[in-house]
Amino acid sequence: MRKSKVFVGSSHPELGKLICDRLGVREGKCTLQKFANGETSVSIGESIRDEDCYIVQSGSGRINDHIMELLIMISACRGGSANKITAVIPYFPYSKQSKMKKHRGAITARMIANLLTMAGADHVITMDLHAAQMQGFFTKPVDNLYAGPTLARWIRLNIPEWREAVVVSKNPGGTKRVTALADALKINFAMINTDRRRRNAFPISRASPTILAEFDDDDDNAAKNDPMSLSEIRTARVVQGHVVDDNYEAPNDEDADTSHASQDNEAMYSSVYSLTSNHDHALGGTIDATGSDDEDEHEVTEERMITLVGDVRDRTAIIIDDMIDRPGSYIAAAEHCRMNCGAKKVYVIATHGVFVEGCLEDMENSWCIDHIVVTNTFPIPSEHRTRSNKLTIIDISPLLAECIRRNHYGESISQLFDHMMNI
């Protein structure tokens, strides 16, 4: 590519090299170093006047340092009179903080978008944002690429009897992503929901008798013919992150229920007080601001109920999400699919393999998970790759390189999104 330079940050040099190899260009000369006091220093080692600059810097374990490094690299390119500066961020940092979760909280993802714009970025290329609405945080163009076509291709080539498999969303928030992949592959999908188990809830680990009671004798045939009425709704108990049977006695179950009831009452009264008082709250305030996220921010120790809507019996279950950071929800979903719903195998597939400390080991030790598949948008240490027998990493650099090439030559990017329809 003429009149262009590709600079690679220190967060994911392996992915940056793969992108440059795909483009047939060499990495731009750039010196990255830290002073003794921890400050980051960036020096561009060649002329970039009136050239298009692409800076590859993904999220990583040292996320704050690498964000600062990216901002300084953008500023250095702007100071070097670059024609256009594009930040290539395969895994967008702080993407889970894209909305107000608590009063006096911060929408950190919007702040990162503002910092990139103020530093001088003219364009952003990223992949599978945690919330697609984050594109509205930017005043510059954003290309949010989808890893769906690449993941679908891997499924077709590597999963036996994939036409009989079922794509599963582990929470309601990921249903849109799952249905898009299921439609592209023309296979069935299912959904899992996990919430706190209420006192006197209906029996679990089987089709709900509450549903059965809704049908009279005259409607037996109609109930049997309804694919969603009986066998496709399965529930189970989850205690300390694992599925247990009906006879398992959770420790201090009554105390926990009493504690939760008192907490619920206290939250209700405080919410009513907040609505009737004259105190100001951030963005006006909402009662359920703390519980609006589709992901649990902390490990849940109380008993919960997990429900699968769909049929995975004697089939392969493919659990899909945008990232794998904590193991708890994936292990519980896999155990429910295998132990209570009769799935033959369980594949866990995601775009970003963040894998916080101990996450990959816990998933590796779970007998209910047969395979873990992620792309290389997030740097995974080499020791984790060698120790894991279930982990597969898909190279996503061809998609990013093609997006950079099309962007440089002014070609349409929409074909990269429409490719999902042609799988």
Side-chain angles (χ1 to χ4, degrees):
M1 298 191 307
R2 300 182 59 185
K3 299 289 290 183
S4 67
K5 292 288 189 299
V6 179
F7 297 100
V8 179
S10 61
S11 66
H12 202 341
E14 179 182 352
L15 178 60
K17 184 178 184 304
L18 290 172
I19 292 175
C20 290
D21 292 342
R22 289 281 179 177
L23 293 171
V25 300
R26 63 173 178 82
E27 297 180 23
K29 296 180 181 179
C30 181
T31 302
L32 307 173
Q33 60 182 356
K34 275 187 172 294
F35 294 135
N37 61 358
E39 294 180 357
T40 299
S41 173
V42 173
S43 177
I44 305 298
E46 56 187 314
S47 175
I48 56 174
R49 183 175 297 275
D50 292 332
E51 296 196 359
D52 293 346
C53 294
Y54 297 88
I55 304 174
V56 181
Q57 182 84 313
S58 186
S60 66
R62 294 169 48 220
I63 188 168
N64 295 324
D65 287 343
H66 290 145
I67 288 175
M68 198 64 201
E69 180 180 284
L70 172 61
L71 297 173
I72 297 175
M73 291 179 71
I74 293 174
S75 180
C77 290
R78 180 59 64 199
S81 301
N83 178 53
K84 180 181 178 181
I85 302 172
T86 300
V88 182
I89 313 174
Y91 169 66
F92 196 88
Y94 288 96
S95 60
K96 295 185 73 172
Q97 300 186 45
S98 60
K99 58 186 175 182
M100 185 78 70
K101 298 178 183 179
K102 296 182 180 180
H103 300 305
R104 299 179 296 276
I107 306 178
T108 315
R110 183 177 62 185
M111 184 191 70
I112 299 298
N114 293 335
L115 288 173
L116 290 171
T117 302
M118 295 300 297
D122 299 302
H123 188 198
V124 174
I125 298 174
T126 186
M127 178 167 289
D128 278 344
L129 290 171
H130 187 63
Q133 295 84 349
M134 286 173 54
Q135 297 176 73
F137 293 162
F138 292 85
T139 57
K140 302 292 184 178
V142 178
D143 288 327
N144 180 29
L145 303 177
Y146 301 139
T150 304
L151 299 178
R153 189 179 303 111
W154 188 93
I155 290 173
R156 294 181 63 182
L157 296 177
N158 295 276
I159 296 182
E161 301 179 358
W162 64 270
R163 296 182 187 277
E164 303 299 324
V166 179
V167 185
V168 181
S169 173
K170 74 177 182 67
N171 55 49
T175 305
K176 185 176 180 180
R177 182 182 300 107
V178 165
T179 53
L181 185 61
D183 290 343
L185 292 171
K186 295 180 175 58
I187 60 178
N188 293 331
F189 67 91
M191 184 193 74
I192 288 178
N193 181 50
T194 305
D195 57 7
R196 183 185 301 168
R197 189 187 178 197
R198 304 297 180 183
R199 186 186 293 270
N200 299 325
F202 53 80
I204 55 181
S205 297
R206 60 181 69 89
S208 169
T210 304
I211 299 174
L212 299 179
E214 294 178 355
F215 299 97
D216 297 329
D217 294 338
D218 296 337
D219 296 331
D220 284 344
N221 293 331
K224 292 177 181 178
N225 293 330
D226 184 357
M228 293 300 295
S229 60
L230 301 179
S231 62
E232 295 192 4
I233 300 179
R234 308 284 294 185
T235 61
R237 298 168 60 196
V238 177
V239 178
Q240 297 182 349
H242 294 277
V243 173
V244 298
D245 57 27
D246 295 348
N247 298 324
Y248 180 85
E249 295 184 2
N252 299 326
D253 188 33
E254 294 183 358
D255 294 340
D257 288 342
T258 304
S259 174
H260 291 321
S262 61
Q263 292 176 3
D264 291 342
N265 290 334
E266 182 180 354
M268 179 185 68
Y269 288 123
S270 62
S271 299
V272 173
Y273 173 75
S274 67
L275 291 176
T276 57
S277 65
N278 293 324
H279 296 290
D280 294 330
H281 296 286
L283 300 181
T286 56
I287 294 177
D288 59 346
T290 59
S292 59
D293 196 12
D294 58 343
E295 294 284 345
D296 292 330
E297 291 300 316
H298 305 285
E299 289 294 333
V300 179
T301 57
E302 70 268 17
E303 180 174 343
R304 294 209 158 196
M305 183 174 68
I306 185 170
T307 304
L308 182 138
V309 180
D311 185 11
V312 298
R313 180 171 296 278
D314 297 327
R315 299 183 181 184
T316 298
I318 306 173
I319 301 175
I320 298 287
D321 207 353
D322 65 317
M323 73 174 71
I324 302 176
D325 50 359
R326 296 185 179 91
S329 58
Y330 291 97
I331 293 176
E335 290 177 348
H336 187 44
C337 289
R338 290 289 293 269
M339 297 168 59
N340 300 316
C341 303
K344 294 192 302 183
K345 288 185 176 181
V346 173
Y347 287 74
V348 176
I349 301 180
T351 303
H352 311 296
V354 180
F355 297 126
V356 299
E357 184 176 359
C359 172
L360 185 58
E361 289 78 4
D362 291 343
M363 297 179 69
E364 182 83 15
N365 294 331
S366 174
W367 68 271
C368 293
I369 298 177
D370 296 282
H371 218 81
I372 306 167
V373 182
V374 296
T375 69
N376 58 345
T377 57
F378 192 93
I380 300 176
S382 57
E383 57 269 19
H384 289 178
R385 306 183 197 179
T386 55
R387 286 202 306 260
S388 177
N389 296 321
K390 298 180 179 179
L391 180 63
T392 296
I393 301 176
I394 303 174
D395 182 18
I396 206 69
S397 63
L399 180 59
L400 293 169
E402 179 63 14
C403 183
I404 292 174
R405 188 194 69 80
R406 288 174 178 268
N407 177 265
H408 177 67
Y409 288 111
E411 300 177 8
S412 175
I413 306 292
S414 61
Q415 294 185 14
L416 300 179
F417 303 107
D418 297 338
H419 181 62
M420 173 67 83
M421 304 301 297
N422 301 323
I423 296 176

